Amino acid sequence: MSEAVKKNYRSAGASAVAPRLFVLELNAGRIHCMNTDGSDRKTIVSDCQLPDGIVIDVDAGHIYWTNMGIPNLNDGSIERADIDGKNRKTVVAQSETHTPKQIILDKNGGKLYWCDREGMRVMRCNLDGSQLETLVEAGRGDADRRDQARWPVGLAIDPKLGQIYWTQKGPDNAGLGRIFRANVEIPAGQTAATRSDIEIFYDGLPEPIDLELDHKNRILYWTDRGDPPRGNTVNRASIDNKPPEPEIVVTHLMEGIGIALDVPNDRMFVTDFAGSIYSARLDGSSERNFLYAQGNLTGIAYAEIPKEK
């Protein structure tokens, strides 16, 4: 993003931004950008290797996304491009992360965080890919890798308390899905595999996938691609006053995957593996399926993009 565009954004305020969705199409290896009603859809990146997670750095004018690659080849990667898809570059090279899934941005800390499914890790690095670290190691080696209960998928970060949340989905529809939380930083003298500060936030879930945190109201949202009645849903729960059971706010998804929140405008956007994109209020009301049969959709991100002048 040019300095002139940044200056226009700062001076003109909210009227100078365009709300946009960025959506990953797994099977076709493409990234699409569109208005929040599905109009003005453009394909901005092609030839991705099974893209799964996406995050937008509006200030820098960048998108970051994960490529799962072929899981048994350990060839996952993370890439970056400008918001229009140009100037594409690799940030985390193939084999440095096994099967990267949801990715989030800690702008203040200058870090990218993501879950590595078959790698059984929660990882992070600097925005340029340097200082690659493993924060959580749920298993190691081929025997552990066959246990899907060890597979991290989605994550969120709570900067207020310095904690991370992540899902480990378990086998398909097995009711072994869990959401964990821990401090961002590994306790002194411990390792990613031995850290003692990990706690289970929820267990016995059908198959939890991606997470999103409403920082203002301190509510965690997640998709679940398992079977009904508790699966194929969007769920939520307070992270400070956790209820005994999460609240189900959206139902009848077809393997829900991606979720993005627009808290100021009281809305969420959700993708599912059958190719639909949904919008709803944060309480699940006013649900609308505004695009369908769009391929196998995975990650989704919402961003307010400065308008060029």
Side-chain angles (χ1 to χ4, degrees), residues 4 25-26 44 64 99 112 116 122 128 153 169 178 184 193 195 222-223 232 242 251 263 284 289 296-297:
E25 186 184 357
L26 179 81
I44 56 172
Y64 294 87
T99 321
L112 297 168
D116 181 353
V122 178
D128 63 359
V153 177
K169 77 180 193 70
R178 293 172 290 177
V184 172
R195 58 186 303 170
W222 66 93
T223 54
N232 278 319
K242 189 189 83 166
T251 60
V263 174
N289 179 350
N296 298 135
L297 301 184

Side-chain angles (χ1 to χ4, degrees), residues 55-307:
V55 69
I56 316 301
D57 183 348
V58 174
D59 292 337
H62 291 147
I63 59 174
Y64 294 87
W65 71 94
T66 60
N67 296 302
M68 290 191 294
I70 307 302
N72 63 355
L73 298 183
N74 189 15
D75 63 348
S77 63
I78 297 175
E79 294 188 74
R80 189 191 84 192
D82 293 344
I83 281 178
D84 60 6
K86 297 177 181 176
N87 297 317
R88 181 175 174 177
K89 65 174 291 185
T90 299
V91 175
V92 177
Q94 288 185 336
S95 81
E96 289 186 338
T97 183
H98 195 301
T99 321
K101 301 287 285 177
Q102 189 178 8
I103 186 169
I104 58 174
L105 169 69
D106 173 17
K107 183 67 173 179
N108 291 334
K111 297 283 187 181
L112 297 168
Y113 290 75
W114 66 95
C115 281
D116 181 353
R117 192 180 65 189
E118 272 88 347
M120 300 170 286
R121 298 173 290 190
V122 178
M123 304 183 73
R124 73 176 174 188
C125 68
N126 293 334
L127 300 186
D128 63 359
S130 62
Q131 203 172 330
L132 188 67
E133 300 174 83
T134 296
L135 301 178
V136 177
E137 186 176 73
R140 181 180 293 186
D142 289 339
D144 284 349
R145 191 170 294 117
R146 286 190 287 271
D147 179 3
Q148 295 184 34
R150 298 178 183 269
W151 287 5
V153 177
L155 82 166
I157 190 166
D158 174 16
K160 179 180 178 181
L161 297 183
Q163 293 183 316
I164 50 175
Y165 291 76
W166 69 97
T167 63
Q168 290 178 203
K169 77 180 193 70
D172 294 354
N173 306 309
L176 298 177
R178 293 172 290 177
I179 300 176
F180 295 87
R181 70 178 166 191
N183 295 321
V184 172
E185 304 302 334
I186 298 172
Q190 298 180 23
T191 70
T194 65
R195 58 186 303 170
S196 60
D197 62 333
I198 296 173
E199 62 175 306
I200 295 175
F201 188 65
Y202 280 112
D203 64 2
L205 302 176
E207 205 176 341
I209 304 296
D210 283 1
L211 296 173
E212 273 281 278
L213 181 59
D214 171 353
H215 298 275
K216 177 183 177 183
N217 299 299
R218 313 278 299 157
I219 296 175
L220 187 69
Y221 289 74
W222 66 93
T223 54
D224 194 303
R225 67 180 291 184
D227 284 343
R230 296 177 64 208
N232 278 319
T233 54
V234 175
N235 307 259
R236 69 178 181 178
S238 166
I239 60 172
D240 296 327
N241 299 287
K242 189 189 83 166
E245 295 289 336
E247 178 187 5
I248 296 174
V249 293
V250 174
T251 60
H252 299 100
L253 303 177
M254 296 296 288
E255 298 193 67
I257 304 291
I259 182 168
L261 303 182
D262 173 18
V263 174
N265 291 305
D266 185 27
R267 57 184 177 173
M268 70 174 86
F269 301 92
V270 180
T271 58
D272 69 19
F273 213 57
S276 290
I277 307 177
Y278 304 82
S279 63
R281 298 182 66 176
L282 294 177
D283 65 2
S285 63
S286 303
E287 179 189 341
R288 188 165 72 92
N289 179 350
F290 61 86
L291 279 181
Y292 57 92
Q294 301 296 307
N296 298 135
L297 301 184
T298 50
I300 186 170
Y302 169 84
E304 296 178 349
I305 306 302
K307 294 179 179 178

